[in-house]
Amino acid sequence: MPGDSVFSRIEPRLTSVSKPIQYVGGELNSTVKEWGADAETVRWALMYPDAYEVGLPNQGVAILYEVLNEREWIVAERTYAVWADMEQVMRTGDELGPIPQFTVDAHRPVGDFDLFGLSFSTELGYTNMLNALDLAGIPMHAADRGIEDPIVLAGGHAAFNPEPIADFIDAAVLGDGEEVVLAISEVVREWKREGRPGGREEVLRRLAVSGGVYVPRFYDVAYAADGAIEAVVPNRPGVPWRVRKHTLMDLDAWPYPAKPLVPLAETVHERFSVEIFRGCTRGCRFCQAGMITRPVRERSINTIGEMVENGIRKSGFEEVGLLSLSSADHTEIGDIATGLADRYEGQNVSLSLPSTRVDAFNITLANEFSRNGRRSGLTFAPEGGSERMRAVINKMVTEEDLIRTVATAYSHGWRQVKLYFMCGLPTETDEDVLAIADLAKKVIAKGREVSGRNDIRCTVSIGGFVPKPHTPFQWAAQLDHETTDERLRKLREVVRTDKRFGRAIGFRYHDGKPGTVEGLLSRGDRRVGKVIEAVWRDGGRFDGWSEHFSYDRWMTSAAAALEGTGVDVDWYTTREREYDEILPWDHLDSGLDKDWLWADWEDALAAARGEDIEVEDCRWTPCYDCGVCPEMNTEIQIGPTGQKLLPLAVV
Ligand code: SF4
C-alpha cells in the first residue's frame, strides 16, 4: 500500500552499512503522522540533498518540516542522501525488488508522497538529487512523470537559477519558504479533492499562474547562433513572464524551529540555532545571499529570548548559535548578548555568533558570549587582501580596522584568530593576493606586541570566488582554476619563506577545481542539465565532498554533453557577459533591478581604477534604489525596540 513503511526491509541490512543510525529516524522532536485519507491529505517528502550529518542541522528544512506538520492535514517527512554502501544495499534489494529511497521518519517510499521538496544551498547537491530520484523510482525527467509521481520542487538559494536542473524538477520556489509551502499545499489539496482534474499538467498550471511558483516546462528557451539565450517565453496562457520571490515580513510571527531536531548520529553542527534576522544590505558585491534575501528583517529581542529558552528546554543543546548573514549587525545585539549571558549565568550554555564583521565591538560580544561556556574562535572576513580589492567588492574594512580589532582580541586573551579571504575576485592581480601575506604578518606582529607572547597564531583561510546570479558580479569572468591555484601557491611561498612569521600563520586552501564546476552550475542554463545527468550516470555523487568530487569526470562529461551546442565550460565560467545578454535567470525576479546591478558592477570597475565609490548600508543611509522594496512591496524592519531581556523566573 502507498505510504507503507519499508523499515522491515532495511533493518536486517543495517549491520552491513556505515553509520546505520542515520537511517533509523526517531530523533527527539521528530514527527510521524498517519498517512491519512488521500483526498484530504497533502504529503511532503523534504530532502536536504547531502548526507544526514550535513542535512539534519539545515535550518531551512527543519523550519518547513515543522510548519507543514503543524497542519493536521499535511504529512511532512525527511529524507537525506544515502552513502554508497547503503545505495548498493538498496539497489540490490530483496525478494520484493530494489529498496526505494525512503524517509527517515516513517520509512515511507519517497515516490509515494505528493510532493518531493529539495532545498539547495549549493549547486553541488544536484547529482545527489538525481540519485535520490532514481532510487525512489521517480522518472528522472519531469516530462516522463505521471499523475502518481510526486511533484519535484526545488528551493533554497540555488533555486534562484534552477535552469541547469530544469529538466529534472517540476517546479522551483524562490525566497522564504514558510508561507509558500502552505499555499502550494492548499493548491494540491484542492486539486486532489476535485479528483485530480487535468492530471499533472493542471496542478502545475494552477501553481504557475499563482505567480510565485516557477514551472520550467511552461517556458520555452531559444538560443542564438552565438550560443547566448535569444528569448525565454511562457508557452501557456496566464503564466507570468517573471516569477517572483517570496519574502516573509514578520519573523516574530514565525518563531521556528520551535521543536529543534536532536540528531542521533554525529552532525556538522550540534547546537540550537536561532535566526536573529534575515537579509543583508551591506552590499558586498560577491555575496548572493545578501542580495537575494533583501530587505533586512529583524526578529525582536524578546522573540529571540523566547526561542532560545524554548529551544534549550526542548532539545537539551548546550550551545546556541545566533544566525544571520552578519549577526553583529542586529540593532540590539549588545542587549541580546548581555541579556542571554545574564539569563544563563552559571549554567553550561554557550552562545556563538557564526559570522561577524571586522570591528572591535565583536570582541565585547565574544566575551559576553563565552561568559557561561567555552570561548569560541574568532573569525573575521576581510575577503579581499588589498584595500583596492576590498573597494571593488564593497567590503569597506580598512587595514587599520582589522589591526585594531585583532589587537583587542589578542590583548583579551585570544591566541588565535582566523581570517577569511577570497581569491579570483574581478580585476584581482597577484599583488592583491600577496597583500594577504602582509596583512597576516601585521596581525601577528601586533598580536605579539599587545600580548607580549610569541605563541600568537593567525589562520588564513581562502576560498575561490564563484560569480553568482542576481549579484553585480553576475557578468564577471570567473578566474580559471589554474591561475587561482598558481596565485595561491605564490602566496603560500611568501608566507612560508619568512622565518619570522611562517610558523605563526596557518594556511587553508584546497584547490580551485570544484569552484569551476560550481561556476558552471551557478550560471548555467538548461543545456547544463545534460552535463549533470552524464556525471551522475558516470557515478558522480556527493560533489560537495572533496573525497568524492571528480573534476575529470565533470570535464569529460561536459565535453561530451555540450558537444555541438557551440558552448563549453569556459563559455559558462571564464567569459565576461555584456549588458544586453539575456541571462538564464532574468525571468526569475529577486526584486533587484537589473540596471541597478549593472551600475553597481560598473562602480566596482571604477573602484578598481581607484575611484572612491562606496555603497553604504541602506539601514542607516537613504535608500539607494536597489529595487527590492518597491518591487516586492516590502520594507526594512529593524529596531531598536528598546526592550530588555528579563531574567527568567526559574533558573
Ligand atoms: S530598495 Fe532601498 S531600502 Fe530596500 S533594500 Fe534596496 S536600497 Fe535598501
Side-chain angles (χ1 to χ4, degrees):
M1 291 279 287
D4 280 354
S5 169
V6 294
F7 192 66
S8 60
R9 301 174 63 192
I10 304 164
E11 196 181 14
R13 319 298 181 84
L14 288 178
T15 49
S16 65
V17 299
S18 56
K19 299 187 185 167
I21 192 85
Q22 66 187 308
Y23 306 115
V24 172
E27 299 95 337
L28 182 62
N29 296 325
S30 61
T31 304
V32 172
K33 293 166 93 170
E34 293 293 324
W35 191 238
D38 193 58
E40 292 303 319
T41 315
V42 175
R43 297 118 175 179
W44 286 76
L46 299 173
M47 180 177 203
Y48 187 82
D50 205 325
Y52 178 91
E53 61 201 85
V54 180
L56 184 125
N58 180 266
Q59 281 273 307
V61 171
I63 290 171
L64 299 185
Y65 176 70
E66 266 190 54
V67 166
L68 290 166
N69 274 321
E70 276 188 3
R71 273 69 194 169
E72 34 82 30
W73 53 279
I74 301 179
V75 173
E77 301 194 13
R78 296 159 297 134
T79 186
Y80 304 99
V82 298
W83 283 117
D85 54 359
M86 187 59 163
E87 182 184 338
Q88 181 64 42
V89 163
M90 290 161 70
R91 290 192 185 281
T92 307
D94 52 21
E95 62 285 355
L96 297 174
I99 299 169
Q101 177 84 22
F102 55 87
T103 60
V104 295
D105 294 295
H107 303 95
R108 289 166 169 149
V110 167
D112 289 353
F113 286 75
D114 298 310
L115 295 123
F116 180 24
L118 296 108
S119 175
F120 292 101
S121 36
T122 152
E123 297 81 4
L124 294 174
Y126 290 162
T127 49
N128 282 353
M129 170 179 71
L130 297 195
N131 206 38
L133 287 172
D134 189 58
L135 286 169
I138 301 170
M140 183 155 296
H141 295 113
D144 298 333
R145 287 177 201 141
I147 195 160
E148 294 298 333
D149 291 312
I151 295 167
V152 179
L153 189 95
H157 289 182
F160 278 78
N161 176 27
E163 291 302 87
I165 50 169
D167 287 349
F168 315 117
I169 57 171
D170 294 294
V173 165
L174 280 63
D176 301 329
E178 289 93 333
E179 292 169 313
V180 69
V181 289
L182 296 176
I184 291 171
S185 303
E186 297 273 8
V187 170
V188 172
R189 175 165 69 166
E190 207 42 47
W191 172 74
K192 286 175 72 178
R193 271 183 179 161
E194 292 171 16
R196 305 180 186 233
R200 197 173 182 80
E201 187 88 353
E202 171 59 11
V203 71
L204 291 173
R205 191 199 63 81
R206 290 184 190 184
L207 291 170
V209 297
S210 72
V213 179
Y214 174 53
V215 180
R217 70 173 66 179
F218 294 156
Y219 295 79
D220 291 330
V221 181
Y223 301 97
D226 66 355
I229 292 174
E230 196 168 62
V232 179
V233 182
N235 57 25
R236 291 282 185 297
V239 172
W241 282 82
R242 301 190 80 206
V243 180
R244 293 155 63 83
K245 79 163 179 181
H246 298 265
T247 312
L248 189 71
M249 281 313 292
D250 184 1
L251 261 62
D252 281 354
W254 297 81
Y256 300 97
K259 296 195 309 176
L261 287 162
V262 182
L264 293 173
E266 201 180 321
T267 58
V268 287
H269 301 302
E270 308 228 334
R271 62 174 172 239
F272 171 54
S273 295
V274 174
E275 190 181 16
I276 62 173
F277 65 86
R278 214 170 267 187
C280 181
T281 38
R282 284 205 160 255
C284 302
R285 297 189 170 109
F286 56 83
C287 181
Q288 187 193 40
M291 294 287 166
I292 62 177
T293 59
R294 293 172 172 215
V296 172
R297 291 143 289 151
E298 286 188 356
R299 196 162 252 152
S300 73
I301 179 169
N302 277 335
T303 305
I304 293 167
E306 282 162 23
M307 286 179 71
V308 169
E309 174 56 15
N310 174 61
I312 290 175
R313 213 165 10 88
K314 292 204 175 128
S315 67
F317 282 127
E318 290 179 345
E319 187 183 336
V320 178
L322 301 182
L323 284 189
S324 75
L325 291 172
S326 173
S327 291
D329 283 340
H330 191 289
T331 50
E332 291 178 299
I333 191 66
D335 288 338
I336 293 170
T338 308
L340 290 175
D342 285 348
R343 268 192 181 179
Y344 299 106
E345 185 89 54
Q347 299 178 55
N348 217 11
V349 174
S350 62
L351 300 152
S352 62
L353 278 191
S355 50
T356 51
R357 65 174 194 267
V358 178
D359 73 25
F361 174 61
N362 289 304
I363 310 297
T364 318
L365 282 182
N367 268 331
E368 281 299 67
F369 283 167
S370 55
R371 209 189 321 154
N372 301 319
R374 68 191 161 77
R375 176 170 275 195
S376 55
L378 279 181
T379 303
F380 298 110
E383 317 276 1
S386 66
E387 210 93 9
R388 190 192 76 89
M389 207 66 258
R390 293 192 291 272
V392 169
I393 61 178
N394 201 48
K395 183 113 189 184
M396 305 310 278
V397 176
T398 62
E399 184 175 308
E400 209 187 336
D401 289 333
L402 179 69
I403 301 294
R404 194 179 326 109
T405 304
V406 294
T408 318
Y410 288 126
S411 62
H412 279 74
W414 269 271
R415 294 278 160 269
Q416 160 139 9
V417 298
K418 252 193 233 161
L419 301 178
Y420 181 78
F421 298 92
M422 278 188 296
C423 179
L425 289 160
T427 77
E428 179 188 274
T429 62
D430 283 7
E431 283 64 46
D432 294 309
V433 172
L434 294 177
I436 295 172
D438 293 334
L439 207 52
K441 287 177 193 175
K442 285 180 187 157
V443 161
I444 295 291
K446 191 70 182 177
R448 287 174 181 165
E449 178 196 320
V450 296
S451 68
R453 303 173 60 122
N454 248 331
D455 59 350
I456 296 301
R457 277 190 61 80
C458 164
T459 302
V460 170
S461 182
I462 305 196
F465 167 65
V466 178
K468 293 278 178 170
H470 305 278
T471 70
F473 289 166
Q474 64 184 356
W475 291 279
Q478 184 175 353
L479 191 64
D480 61 88
H481 70 90
E482 292 92 346
T483 314
T484 307
D485 290 351
E486 178 55 17
R487 243 172 225 171
L488 290 168
R489 191 195 57 73
K490 287 183 190 157
L491 172 63
R492 188 192 295 259
E493 204 164 285
V494 170
V495 172
R496 290 271 179 272
T497 48
D498 190 332
K499 292 276 176 289
R500 293 165 305 153
F501 297 103
R503 301 243 302 267
I505 301 173
F507 194 80
R508 287 228 181 107
Y509 171 70
H510 293 300
D511 74 276
K513 288 175 177 169
T516 299
V517 173
E518 196 187 331
L520 169 72
L521 299 176
S522 297
R523 292 194 293 173
D525 52 41
R526 293 187 180 182
R527 292 169 291 192
V528 173
K530 289 202 168 49
V531 182
I532 302 168
E533 185 172 341
V535 168
W536 171 76
R537 291 200 184 280
D538 191 40
R541 318 272 191 275
F542 291 99
D543 286 299
W545 295 66
S546 53
E547 60 268 49
H548 299 291
F549 174 80
S550 164
Y551 181 73
D552 293 343
R553 177 188 281 143
W554 275 96
M555 291 307 116
T556 312
S557 301
L562 295 173
E563 203 185 327
T565 61
V567 298
D568 57 14
V569 173
D570 284 346
W571 189 85
Y572 287 107
T573 55
T574 56
R575 180 179 64 96
E576 187 172 324
R577 279 76 163 159
E578 300 291 333
Y579 171 79
D580 48 13
E581 180 170 333
I582 296 173
L583 303 171
W585 51 91
D586 277 352
H587 56 298
L588 299 171
D589 189 5
S590 61
L592 294 155
D593 181 70
K594 196 173 176 188
D595 282 336
W596 178 81
L597 285 172
W598 180 262
D600 204 43
W601 168 227
E602 289 192 314
D603 283 353
L605 298 176
R609 295 189 297 269
E611 285 180 41
D612 184 16
I613 301 173
E614 181 183 349
V615 181
E616 294 193 63
D617 193 319
C618 62
R619 271 172 288 191
W620 307 299
T621 61
C623 167
Y624 47 76
D625 295 324
C626 78
V628 170
C629 293
E631 175 70 14
M632 295 290 145
N633 196 21
T634 53
E635 59 183 4
I636 286 177
Q637 286 180 345
I638 55 171
T641 61
Q643 295 167 338
K644 292 274 179 274
L645 278 186
L646 301 174
L648 294 167
V650 183
V651 171

